[in-house]
Amino acid sequence: MKSFEQLVEGYGRFREGDWRKQYARWEQLKEGQSPRVMVIACSDSRVDPAQIFDVDPGEIFVVRNVAALVPPYETTPGRHGVSAALEFAVQFLKVEEVVVMGHGMCGGCQAALSRDLAGTDPGEGGFVANWVDMLDDVREPIAERLGISGREAERAMELAAVKVSLANLRTFPYVARKIDAGQLTLRGAYFAISDGILYLLDESSGEFTPAS
């Protein structure tokens, strides 16, 4: 695992290597960004969307958080980080697609399934517990059918979380309007860390199948 000092050394290699090779691209980007796709992914260090999708700088607008979750539309007081990023991407950058990408071995989904952190104080797990409790409704049938531990139950929770975020995206009025107008498409995806396979959600069937 790398220290910050080693990351700075990596910056030096980037500055002398890829940055120089893609100088024309960076010259374009200093004038602004115009990505067509927004990716909502997990903060997990093993699932970098730019690496998984093999994209150049400026090609995807990325938001990462615990378990790649999107909360439902709400206007209550508070700091709505995901909602602000979504608003910026859809309303100002005018992205054409929003992808929710879950992943295997997700600690946030494990916490939602086990509820081990429920009732803990902020700083001791409470922030995580309060964040992932938006999965409580889908947790119950999974827990009843598969239990609250083991890869089968965890994977079911990880896939269900993608569907929850997609449903919550549709509660945002401007998202719903753009979908109805054919200006925006929502997509679900799942990256399996264990074998490196990307699965795509067919919302009509509710099934995830490997990307071709």
Side-chain angles (χ1 to χ4, degrees):
M1 301 304 166
K2 294 186 181 294
S3 66
F4 181 69
E5 287 77 10
Q6 289 171 311
L7 296 183
V8 174
E9 291 173 6
Y11 157 73
R13 294 189 296 273
F14 159 74
R15 188 70 171 78
E16 294 303 315
D18 285 351
W19 187 85
R20 291 189 182 278
K21 291 177 186 175
Q22 298 193 62
Y23 179 75
R25 176 67 173 162
W26 289 105
E27 279 291 293
Q28 275 184 322
L29 291 174
K30 76 180 183 182
E31 303 299 329
Q33 59 173 323
S34 55
R36 294 175 57 188
V37 179
M38 176 185 192
V39 180
I40 299 169
C42 185
S43 300
D44 192 300
S45 62
R46 299 166 292 182
V47 287
D48 178 5
Q51 183 180 39
I52 292 169
F53 293 117
D54 189 26
V55 294
D56 288 330
E59 291 191 326
I60 56 175
F61 184 82
V62 179
V63 172
R64 300 178 70 176
N65 63 57
V66 173
L69 293 176
V70 177
Y73 177 76
E74 55 187 2
T75 58
T76 55
R79 306 295 186 183
H80 302 291
V82 176
S83 301
L86 177 68
E87 180 181 76
F88 183 70
V90 173
Q91 296 290 73
F92 296 94
L93 295 179
K94 301 189 185 305
V95 298
E96 299 169 10
E97 299 176 277
V98 178
V99 180
V100 176
M101 185 178 74
H103 71 93
M105 318 301 290
C106 179
C109 288
Q110 290 173 12
L113 183 62
S114 69
R115 302 193 82 245
D116 285 343
L117 299 177
T120 56
D121 294 328
E124 303 297 329
F127 284 127
V128 173
N130 290 339
W131 177 247
V132 300
D133 70 6
M134 70 180 85
L135 298 176
D136 281 354
D137 286 347
V138 295
R139 172 194 181 273
E140 295 309 315
I142 293 172
E144 288 177 9
R145 183 166 54 92
L146 300 172
I148 60 171
S149 63
R151 275 309 299 150
E152 187 178 7
E154 290 167 1
R155 183 182 173 91
M157 194 69 181
E158 291 156 2
L159 298 178
V162 173
K163 296 177 182 179
V164 167
S165 286
L166 289 170
N168 286 346
L169 280 169
R170 291 186 169 93
T171 67
F172 287 77
Y174 56 88
V175 170
R177 284 196 299 270
K178 291 209 168 194
I179 292 172
D180 289 343
Q183 299 171 340
L184 185 67
T185 301
L186 304 186
R187 302 190 186 279
Y190 175 87
F191 181 73
I193 289 176
S194 58
D195 55 20
I197 295 176
L198 179 72
Y199 294 81
L200 304 180
L201 173 63
D202 179 343
E203 287 201 85
S204 61
S205 68
E207 298 298 319
F208 287 81
T209 56
S212 58

